[in-house]
Amino acid sequence: MWKRPMEMRCYYIKFQICFAILTGLAILVLVNNISHIEHLYQSTDLILSQASPDHLGQPYSPATKESFCDYKRQVLSRSEHEEQESLLQSLEWPGPPHGKIEFQKSSNAAHSCFVILNSQKTFVVGDVMEVLVRVQDFEGSPKKYGGDYLQARIHTPILKAGAVGKVVDHQNGFYTVFFTLFWPGNVTVSVVLVHPSEGIQVLQRLQEEKPDRVYFKSLFRSGGTSETKTCNVCLSTKLPVCNYTDLQTGEPWFCYKPEKLSCSSRINHAKGGYLKNLLTFEESLLFQSGINIKVPVLASGPDTVIVHPRRMKDNAFFYGSKFVPSGYYYHDYWMSSRSYIQQFNKPDDITNCLKGKVVHLFGDSTIRQWFEYLTGFVSGLRTFDLGSPKNVGPLLAIDVEHNIMVKYRCHGPPIRFSTVSSHELRYIANELDGIVGGQSTVVAITIWSHFSTFPVVVYIRRLRNIRAAILRLLERSPDTSIIVRSANVQELGPEVSLFNSDWFSLQLDTVMRSMFASLNVLVLDAWEMSLAHYLPHALHPKPIIVKNEIDEFLSFVCPN
């Protein structure tokens, strides 16, 4: 008789367990549905009106501003705010006094000059050479203020040697350039006026007032109906928009809402074009090829010195220098002043280094060049057709025999590529969170050129998200190799200067170096590597420069 109550009790316990499991599953389904609904909300119509709050819960008032610039309303923690203010202060650029400056009073490279101080001195390798630059205007009068953007380097063509100099602005029309002398022989000085201070003033105005001077577009399609709409971080009119702000990072992105289609019908992203007529006639005079954009400043006296070999075998003589660049070229090889760089001159050298590794390349077309170099040089790396455009990606290459995989993926918007599927628009921070990491994992990142038209705070936010993701990756897998490639200099003309000037790139590069300085990553100095080389500046550096970038990259991955 006692067995039956016992059986009933067992059935009751089993029922309780089943009920608890079903309840748990119901809760999981409910949470998933709520998340799904929230995700759908992020891609639904957002009407910009005073009564309609945005996704951050802060009302937008069209009466105060005719643009929707989310970066102006981001909420920062105290430490983030302090960091951002410190970064912006580090970018402060001296310029002309208040008031309109006539073109004839602007800086003129043809009337300016430089002189090598103590040019008769006996220089030896390891010395620091000083060069004084005096800037004058088109009337031949000395400038009384600073703010000109100068680039300077030393070089010895016969040795294919070169290094950059550090420019110090005295804010009175005079500049001092410091050069560390790395090699013996005849060393020539070159100084270039990239932009006059008056031109920099115009670039500053464009950066703040015209963040939409490069615009983007997306195609929306459903069935036989399609519409193309403008997209950006900032949209300049008070119209309904689709909100594509990323849920994980909070990175903002918006498109004007199609008239007939829903926001969820967006299928791609592409560069739209460039705004025209950005300058007044007087401002346009400050951006003339051969006149005041990357124009050489000539020497008043000798421009070359003889550098003698150093007698002592002392590798520490650079430590007391006022300026030690990250490296220099000698016989077309980049010699780092921070670490030893191996030469990976044979395909087998690269294969042996990357054996058993997965290499993730994230960013713009300047790091896509690494993918192209590796797959073009190492025959064992076979590319796979993923059905994506070669200049857009994603791209994949595999060496089955040596267990090597190399991937490339472009960063999320803003990106001025040709058509990218909206499903392939990924933010680097999110991709990093999906990587397990470890000794067999290599990550290389570059992100700069496509942010040059926006205020710097937009770039700071993107790097903040990437940095946080890197820290999480290193937290779970501290032996992961991470490389951050810097910006590089490029060829400039009147129009390119307004969108991709080296001055914009310099600002972004300065921010990047500061934000990643404390991380256990390699910051690869593509800036100096492109500026110190004898080849003409180019947005996409020539193969010999890319080869030297790859050598430093692989030397960090395989230090032994």
Side-chain angles (χ1 to χ4, degrees):
M1 295 296 294
W2 60 271
K3 290 184 178 180
R4 186 169 184 81
M6 194 68 174
E7 289 175 352
M8 291 181 65
R9 179 169 179 162
C10 290
Y11 282 127
Y12 179 73
I13 293 173
K14 290 180 180 179
F15 175 79
Q16 284 185 315
I17 294 173
C18 291
F19 181 80
I21 293 173
L22 289 173
T23 302
L25 289 174
I27 292 172
L28 288 174
V29 171
L30 179 60
V31 170
N32 181 69
N33 286 341
I34 291 173
S35 300
H36 183 63
I37 291 171
E38 289 176 344
H39 177 73
L40 289 176
Y41 171 74
Q42 294 293 338
S43 295
T44 54
D45 310 351
L46 178 66
I47 308 300
L48 300 184
S49 66
Q50 192 167 2
S52 178
D54 66 8
H55 68 284
L56 294 176
Q58 298 176 342
Y60 170 78
S61 175
T64 59
K65 190 72 177 176
E66 291 187 359
S67 64
F68 186 51
C69 291
D70 181 87
Y71 70 86
K72 293 185 177 180
R73 297 176 295 123
Q74 61 175 315
V75 179
L76 302 176
S77 67
R78 181 175 180 177
S79 61
E80 289 172 342
H81 176 75
E82 290 175 351
E83 179 187 46
Q84 180 166 294
E85 289 302 306
S86 175
L87 290 169
L88 294 177
Q89 288 177 10
S90 71
L91 299 178
E92 289 181 355
W93 194 274
H98 296 293
K100 185 177 181 180
I101 304 294
E102 297 179 1
F103 172 70
Q104 293 298 319
K105 300 290 186 181
S106 66
S107 304
N108 179 13
H111 285 164
S112 304
C113 64
F114 72 83
V115 59
I116 300 174
L117 301 181
N118 300 322
S119 60
Q120 301 304 316
K121 172 186 173 181
T122 301
F123 289 103
V124 298
V125 171
D127 282 348
V128 174
M129 179 175 63
E130 295 185 27
V131 171
L132 185 65
V133 183
R134 181 179 185 179
V135 177
Q136 300 190 134
D137 61 26
F138 281 85
E139 295 176 344
S141 301
K143 297 291 293 291
K144 301 298 183 182
Y145 53 86
D148 299 299
Y149 179 24
L150 303 175
Q151 292 174 348
R153 71 184 184 103
I154 50 174
H155 54 104
T156 302
I158 194 172
L159 296 175
K160 293 185 177 180
V164 304
K166 179 178 177 60
V167 179
V168 176
D169 184 352
H170 300 293
Q171 301 185 33
N172 58 3
F174 286 91
Y175 302 78
T176 300
V177 188
F178 296 96
F179 294 102
T180 299
L181 302 174
F182 286 101
W183 63 88
N186 291 336
V187 175
T188 301
V189 175
S190 292
V191 178
V192 171
L193 174 67
V194 182
H195 293 299
S197 57
E198 297 78 12
I200 297 294
Q201 198 173 41
V202 175
L203 296 181
Q204 289 174 318
R205 177 183 67 80
L206 291 177
Q207 193 174 45
E208 292 300 324
E209 298 179 6
K210 296 290 185 181
D212 60 343
R213 61 190 183 278
V214 174
Y215 57 93
F216 305 85
K217 61 183 180 181
S218 277
L219 176 65
F220 296 77
R221 187 166 62 202
S222 179
T225 304
S226 62
E227 298 180 54
T228 300
K229 291 296 178 181
T230 300
C231 307
N232 219 321
V233 173
C234 293
L235 295 177
S236 59
T237 59
K238 297 166 285 187
L239 294 173
V241 302
C242 296
N243 180 3
Y244 298 105
T245 297
D246 183 64
L247 293 176
Q248 280 70 45
T249 63
E251 292 289 349
W253 193 252
F254 307 95
C255 296
Y256 287 130
K257 183 188 178 303
E259 284 78 11
K260 301 177 182 179
L261 300 174
S262 67
C263 293
S264 60
S265 62
R266 174 177 177 242
I267 65 170
N268 65 29
H269 163 93
K271 179 181 69 176
Y274 300 85
L275 294 182
K276 305 294 183 181
N277 303 318
L278 293 169
L279 306 180
T280 65
F281 173 75
E282 290 76 11
E283 289 175 334
S284 67
L285 296 176
L286 299 170
F287 297 91
Q288 303 181 70
S289 296
I291 302 296
N292 45 25
I293 300 177
K294 287 203 172 181
V295 182
V297 175
L298 301 181
S300 175
D303 64 355
T304 301
V305 298
I306 299 176
V307 180
H308 298 276
R310 194 174 185 86
R311 294 181 180 178
M312 294 186 301
K313 294 182 179 179
D314 181 6
N315 293 325
F317 57 84
F318 292 122
Y319 294 156
S321 171
K322 295 180 181 178
F323 168 65
V324 178
S326 64
Y328 62 98
Y329 283 106
Y330 193 72
H331 293 305
D332 245 354
Y333 288 115
W334 182 251
M335 316 294 287
S336 174
S337 57
R338 300 176 298 189
S339 61
Y340 175 70
I341 295 182
Q342 305 170 62
Q343 304 301 322
F344 292 81
N345 296 327
K346 301 176 182 179
D348 286 348
D349 297 337
I350 297 178
T351 298
N352 291 333
C353 172
L354 296 182
K355 186 176 181 179
K357 290 181 170 57
V358 178
V359 181
H360 302 267
L361 305 176
F362 297 113
D364 56 36
S365 56
T366 58
I367 207 165
R368 189 187 70 221
Q369 286 186 279
W370 288 16
F371 182 92
E372 294 163 347
Y373 178 90
L374 290 172
T375 55
F377 186 66
V378 182
S379 59
L381 274 173
R382 300 186 59 184
T383 58
F384 284 76
D385 186 358
L386 300 177
S388 54
K390 290 185 178 180
N391 64 331
V392 174
L395 305 175
L396 173 66
I398 295 177
D399 181 340
V400 176
E401 180 183 353
H402 298 97
N403 195 27
I404 300 171
M405 178 181 293
V406 181
K407 302 178 179 181
Y408 164 77
R409 179 175 289 280
C410 68
H411 64 72
I415 192 158
R416 301 175 213 154
F417 283 179
S418 56
T419 305
V420 185
S421 168
S422 56
H423 295 288
E424 296 294 355
L425 283 177
R426 314 277 183 85
Y427 290 95
I428 293 176
N430 294 340
E431 293 297 297
L432 292 175
D433 282 338
I435 296 174
V436 175
Q439 287 185 347
S440 62
T441 302
V442 181
V443 175
I445 301 167
T446 191
I447 181 167
W448 58 279
S449 180
H450 300 262
F451 286 80
S452 59
T453 56
F454 295 95
V456 178
V457 292
V458 177
Y459 185 65
I460 292 174
R461 168 162 52 190
R462 183 64 59 90
L463 289 193
R464 188 185 299 124
N465 282 320
I466 293 173
R467 181 179 61 186
I470 288 175
L471 288 171
R472 290 191 292 269
L473 175 55
L474 291 175
E475 177 85 15
R476 60 182 179 268
S477 303
D479 49 357
T480 305
S481 298
I482 301 178
I483 299 90
V484 179
R485 180 194 182 277
S486 80
N488 57 263
V489 296
Q490 59 186 294
E491 181 183 8
L492 296 180
E495 186 173 15
V496 174
S497 295
L498 307 183
F499 303 97
N500 270 58
S501 169
D502 283 353
W503 184 77
F504 292 134
S505 302
L506 177 63
Q507 286 193 309
L508 302 182
D509 201 55
T510 301
V511 166
M512 182 275 294
R513 292 171 192 268
S514 178
M515 293 186 70
F516 288 102
S518 61
L519 272 63
N520 185 26
V521 303
L522 168 68
V523 176
L524 193 146
D525 202 337
W527 185 270
E528 287 194 15
M529 296 175 80
S530 57
L531 181 55
H533 204 271
Y534 56 84
L535 286 173
H537 297 172
L539 173 60
H540 299 110
K542 298 299 182 183
I544 184 61
I545 299 177
V546 176
K547 192 266 183 195
N548 280 285
E549 293 176 2
I550 293 291
D551 283 346
E552 183 166 4
F553 158 63
L554 294 176
S555 295
F556 178 77
V557 174
C558 306
N560 296 323

